[in-house]
Amino acid sequence: AGASAVIIFNNTSGPINGTLGEPNDNFVPAVAISQEDGERLAASLERGEAITANVSVTGGGIVEETSHNVVAVKEPTHKKKAADQIIIVGSHHDSVSGSPGANDDASGVAATLELARVLANMPTDTEIRFVTFGAEELGLIGSYEYVDTMSEDERSRVIGMFQMDMVGSRDAGELVMFTVDGQKNTVTDLAAAAGVRTGTPLTYGQEGRSDHVPFHYAGIPAALFIHNPLEPWYHTPEDSLDKISKEKLQESAEIVGAAVYQAARPDTPALD
Ligand code: PHE
Ligand code: ZN
Ligand code: ZN
Ligand code: ZN
């Protein structure tokens, strides 16, 4: 099950800061637009308007593409006191035009899938949602759409959103966590504790620019996990599988997984 957003591009009133490339293997159209325009599109979406942008398209015409979020839900094992709580583990499955996106963000998707595999059969008091978002690179469109379609009740039950975006590059720096306002929250506290236990102390700082942002603005504790500084291959055709470090990917998944499980595990041993 996934939410979708329709992105309509037309060239009736001239080009803005964009180009249309060849379709690639990703779920989203190979359209590069500025972050500013992406944010404008996401804001339009929030207001329930049609999302229309003018881009330079050789030959003219209207290009309409649909992007999807992919959502897997692990139900709580024990419907006890914390049964109503939700944890979200996220990443994005699109990449920029011309880049294979091995680190940005197939690394996060791989870690999301692995955590889903590992946690699927663990007892938990909380519901865990594993979400890979579409159209992140076009201005966080998938994640804005996801948060927009949650009910107030649902939003209030999310205790943390863990976003993994670029967590496996051999050539990038240390794993750090970023929040939109630069403040600690439930997610950074859990991950800091997990980092201490696994021997990888985590620093945190302030940064938006990934799918944790819409969750933050909806009042949900959220953080981005990313290696910092970025690798030189960021958003280039060189962001390919040979640059991925299995060790760094595993370390990222272990820290986020340990943090998630710390919050999700039953408070008391299961008796049933
Ligand atoms: N969200 C960015 C991307 O997908 C990654 C990023 C996040 C880069 C924060 C810098 C700072 O490209
Ligand atoms: Zn990117
Ligand atoms: Zn990314
Ligand atoms: Zn039980």
Side-chain angles (χ1 to χ4, degrees):
S4 68
V6 178
I7 306 157
I8 301 167
F9 296 92
N10 69 55
N11 68 339
T12 53
S13 46
I16 53 162
N17 187 16
T19 55
L20 184 69
E22 290 296 310
N24 61 24
D25 288 333
N26 302 303
F27 288 94
V28 297
V31 175
I33 60 171
S34 66
Q35 179 79 11
E36 192 188 338
D37 277 291
E39 280 164 10
R40 187 173 57 74
L41 293 181
S44 300
L45 187 64
E46 260 192 314
R47 293 192 297 269
E49 299 165 4
I51 308 169
T52 304
N54 298 310
V55 298
S56 53
V57 182
T58 314
I62 294 175
V63 178
E64 186 175 321
E65 298 282 355
T66 301
S67 173
H68 296 270
N69 296 325
V70 179
V71 184
V73 178
K74 180 204 185 295
E75 301 290 348
T77 325
H78 304 89
K79 301 231 180 228
K80 291 179 183 166
K81 59 182 173 185
D84 290 331
Q85 294 185 337
I86 302 167
I87 294 172
I88 297 179
V89 177
S91 50
H92 68 88
H93 56 239
D94 61 313
S95 63
V96 294
S97 181
S99 174
N103 194 44
D104 185 13
D105 183 25
S107 64
V109 172
T112 302
L113 293 174
E114 177 64 0
L115 292 185
R117 186 188 69 81
V118 169
L119 292 166
N121 298 310
M122 305 274 272
T124 62
D125 273 353
T126 69
E127 175 180 319
I128 308 177
R129 296 185 186 177
F130 302 91
V131 186
T132 72
F133 298 101
E136 189 267 359
E137 302 285 8
L138 299 178
L140 315 180
I141 291 175
S143 48
Y144 269 111
E145 206 269 352
Y146 187 86
V147 171
D148 280 351
T149 54
M150 290 173 92
S151 67
E152 273 305 321
D153 170 66
E154 233 183 334
R155 290 181 195 173
S156 71
R157 290 189 284 122
V158 182
I159 60 170
M161 192 280 177
F162 297 74
Q163 170 74 0
M164 294 180 284
D165 190 354
M166 311 206 292
V167 291
S169 173
R170 151 197 106 175
D171 305 302
E174 297 299 310
L175 186 67
V176 299
M177 48 194 176
F178 288 124
T179 57
V180 175
D181 57 7
Q183 301 296 307
K184 293 181 183 178
N185 61 29
T186 310
V187 173
T188 60
D189 286 348
L190 285 163
V196 168
R197 284 197 303 276
T198 61
T200 310
L202 289 182
T203 59
Y204 79 98
Q206 181 171 11
E207 179 60 79
R209 287 194 284 167
S210 194
D211 296 310
H212 61 306
V213 171
F215 292 86
H216 167 82
Y217 286 119
I220 294 167
L224 164 66
F225 294 82
I226 186 171
H227 285 127
N228 186 55
L230 303 184
E231 66 277 18
W233 328 115
Y234 174 62
H235 281 186
T236 75
E238 311 308 317
D239 180 12
S240 47
L241 186 56
D242 55 309
K243 315 297 193 317
I244 296 297
S245 155
K246 286 183 189 171
E247 291 72 26
K248 290 182 83 167
L249 193 51
Q250 173 149 357
E251 178 194 55
S252 305
E254 280 181 2
I255 289 170
V256 173
V260 168
Y261 192 64
Q262 184 63 29
R265 70 186 178 83
D267 287 340
T268 52
L271 297 176
D272 54 322

